[in-house]
Amino acid sequence: MTVADCLPVTEDVAWVPVDDPSAAGRARRLAAGLAERLGFTEKRIAEVGIVVTELATNLDRHARHGTLLVRSVRATTHAAVEIVAADRGPGIGDPAAAIEDGHSTAGTLGVGLGAVHRLSDAVTVFSEPGRGTVVTARFQQAGADLADTDAAGMTRPITGEEVCGDAYAVMRANGRLRLMMCDGSGHGPLAASAAREAVRVFCERPAEEPPEQVIAAIHAALRSSRGGAVAVADLAPAERRVRFAGLGNIAASVVLDDRKQGMISVPGIAGYQARTIRAFDHELPAGAAVVLHSDGLTEKWRPGQWTALFESTPLVIATALVRDAGVRNDDASVLVGKPRP
């Protein structure tokens, strides 16, 4: 059996709506407390606070419907703090110039991005004039390399809940990338418990096991839970193929340029009803991305809604999809796999 990497995972997830100046202080305290718990140095904790304050202040001053996400990303021996700022504001005309120190353009989110770029270990800015901006920033512990640039996900709970009933996991082994998503039935802690159990089973299965057998194992494990919809995609870029098995209403597609090719799930509920669990092979062209999402997102989105979104990082793609295709009356989750060339 191949020993596979089924990390990193995201924890301590907090969404902070930025609708007044006080939101910056709340977001800074959350991020600084998270960095402290992860063992960051005092200097690094202060730098995390500066970046969060800059992003939140810019959202308050220049954006509409601005939100900050603060979370930890953990690997086996290392951890990172990840900050994501998203808005539907006026956008940035020249993102490359905006991350230079001292650059400021009235009416854009440019103020402070120079400090964000200088202090963070990794920064990505995606912006479309008139559509909004996504900024992602990561702070890693010294010497850490989480090696997860080929896949990233995002979960957001339904309004009124603190925890999301959706969960996902990523496994890497033998040059392949395996994605799993579970949408626990209902909302809140019980749905989240079912989704976490699906993650546990997925990460314990052999990397060589076909996706349909992984789904069958998750189905058996969820019998004592609320159950849920679940999907597994096995990406083999060297073979230009993705093998996909889905049980229930997890949406899945292969995206390349302006094309979005759906993948086939079968009806059922993991833990309750699964008459036939099947997998299907789909073409995976070079440069394509694979997207899984729960029914907290509308399936009507199209790659052509954005300019070059799918040329950006998986985390930026996932964030823009939640922002623009997510609905507030359900948990929402997106997982994006984009194999390296």
Side-chain angles (χ1 to χ4, degrees), residues 182-240:
C182 180
D183 178 356
S185 297
H187 311 290
L190 292 179
S193 177
R196 286 195 301 269
E197 177 66 5
V199 169
R200 182 192 68 78
V201 174
F202 171 78
C203 287
E204 290 181 354
R205 306 306 296 181
E208 299 86 353
E209 191 169 49
E212 60 271 31
Q213 293 183 25
V214 179
I215 295 285
I218 293 173
H219 171 58
L222 295 189
R223 292 187 189 281
S224 60
S225 75
R226 277 195 174 184
V230 64
V232 174
D234 187 86
L235 284 64
E239 302 170 20
R240 302 286 177 90

Side-chain angles (χ1 to χ4, degrees), residues 2 4 34 36 40 46 59 67-68 100 120 126 130 139 144 149 160 189 203 222 235 239 247 253-254 268 294 306 313:
T2 301
L34 180 56
E36 184 177 9
F40 281 38
L59 287 173
T67 307
L68 270 178
E100 296 177 3
S120 306
F126 174 80
F139 299 83
T149 56
C203 287
L222 295 189
L235 284 64
E239 302 170 20
L247 181 61
S253 55
V254 178
S294 67
W306 305 273
T313 66

Side-chain angles (χ1 to χ4, degrees), residues 7-294:
L7 294 166
V9 296
T10 55
E11 298 177 338
D12 303 303
V13 180
W15 286 87
V16 183
V18 181
D19 43 21
D20 62 66
S22 66
R26 180 179 175 226
R28 183 182 64 249
R29 290 189 293 273
L30 285 169
L34 180 56
E36 184 177 9
R37 292 196 298 275
L38 294 180
F40 281 38
T41 65
E42 191 170 317
K43 177 177 180 292
R44 202 63 175 135
I45 293 170
E47 291 170 344
V48 171
I50 291 170
V51 166
V52 171
T53 301
E54 292 284 3
L55 290 174
T57 300
N58 284 329
L59 287 173
D60 178 58
R61 288 177 179 172
H62 306 291
R64 296 188 303 273
H65 307 291
T67 307
L68 270 178
L69 170 68
V70 179
R71 68 183 185 182
S72 66
V73 182
R74 297 174 183 266
T76 306
T77 58
H78 298 292
V81 173
E82 206 161 58
I83 313 297
V84 180
D87 71 79
R88 293 191 180 97
I92 303 172
D94 188 349
I99 62 175
E100 296 177 3
D101 279 324
H103 178 86
S104 173
T105 302
T108 75
L109 194 62
V111 184
L113 284 185
V116 174
H117 185 261
R118 187 177 67 255
L119 297 175
S120 306
D121 290 309
V123 175
T124 303
V125 180
F126 174 80
S127 189
E128 293 182 286
R131 292 289 303 274
T133 300
V134 174
V135 180
T136 69
R138 174 175 284 189
F139 299 83
Q140 298 185 168
Q141 293 171 319
D145 181 10
L146 273 66
D148 64 337
T149 56
D150 55 354
M154 177 79 59
T155 62
R156 186 185 68 188
I158 188 173
T159 302
E161 287 285 357
E162 292 295 321
V163 297
C164 183
D166 301 347
Y168 61 84
V170 179
M171 181 182 290
R172 300 172 180 86
N174 302 327
R176 299 158 80 102
L177 184 65
R178 179 169 286 196
L179 313 177
M180 191 284 298
M181 175 170 286
C182 180
D183 178 356
S185 297
H187 311 290
L190 292 179
S193 177
R196 286 195 301 269
E197 177 66 5
V199 169
R200 182 192 68 78
V201 174
F202 171 78
C203 287
E204 290 181 354
R205 306 306 296 181
E208 299 86 353
E209 191 169 49
E212 60 271 31
Q213 293 183 25
V214 179
I215 295 285
I218 293 173
H219 171 58
L222 295 189
R223 292 187 189 281
S224 60
S225 75
R226 277 195 174 184
V230 64
V232 174
D234 187 86
L235 284 64
E239 302 170 20
R240 302 286 177 90
R241 176 187 62 81
V242 53
R243 187 166 181 82
F244 177 78
L247 181 61
N249 56 356
I250 299 293
S253 55
V254 178
V255 177
L256 181 65
D257 300 325
D258 290 340
R259 301 192 303 275
K260 174 187 173 186
Q261 179 63 52
M263 295 191 285
I264 301 171
S265 292
V266 298
I269 303 173
Y272 285 87
Q273 182 182 5
R275 293 181 180 177
T276 303
I277 299 174
R278 297 180 60 192
F280 300 88
D281 288 334
H282 302 268
E283 184 182 359
L284 182 65
V290 171
V291 178
L292 309 183
H293 67 77
S294 67

